[in-house]
Amino acid sequence: MKQNKIFSLLGLATRASAVVSGEFMTEKSVKEGRARLVIVGSDASDNTKKNFLNMCAYYHVPCFLYGTKEELGHAMGKEMRASLAVTDEGFAKNLIGKLEATG
């Protein structure tokens, strides 16, 4: 049930234009200081996970490994997405609370 809430919230944030996805756009939003939260698919390559975890630690952006690339893409109504960044503070806080509750 919790998982569905996270994905539906991601869908809502996407429709509100508060999400950027894909490795290039996610990285760009983190480095420009617009990202409030980064989610990386748990089935992304080890290199991708390491890259985003290190980058987010450096730029002080919360980063979570959650769902699969297919689930993340589906939640946004797109193809598979290995990574995405939430750029809206409100959506990010709400998602962080739910992601931390799932462990």
Side-chain angles (χ1 to χ4, degrees):
M1 189 64 194
K2 272 273 194 294
Q3 192 166 346
N4 292 347
K5 281 191 175 152
I6 290 170
F7 289 132
S8 56
L9 202 55
L10 274 175
L12 196 61
T14 302
R15 289 190 290 284
S17 301
V19 176
V20 295
S21 64
E23 291 186 44
F24 177 76
M25 291 301 289
T26 302
E27 186 172 333
K28 187 174 179 224
S29 76
V30 169
K31 289 183 175 174
E32 288 176 353
R34 291 185 298 121
R36 300 285 171 252
L37 163 69
V38 171
I39 300 176
V40 180
S42 53
D43 60 346
S45 72
D46 290 339
N47 191 33
T48 299
K49 288 187 221 175
K50 181 176 171 273
N51 180 21
F52 280 109
L53 288 170
N54 290 343
M55 185 192 336
C56 289
Y58 182 79
Y59 287 95
H60 307 290
V61 176
C63 184
F64 290 89
L65 298 176
Y66 185 78
T68 63
K69 294 188 286 191
E70 199 168 316
E71 288 171 330
L72 291 175
H74 181 73
M76 299 178 64
K78 298 185 175 168
E79 296 294 311
M80 292 198 308
R81 291 292 191 262
S83 61
L84 58 89
V86 179
T87 56
D88 179 82
E89 189 70 42
F91 279 119
K93 280 186 177 161
N94 200 334
L95 279 162
I96 290 168
K98 290 185 182 349
L99 286 162
E100 285 174 344
T102 62

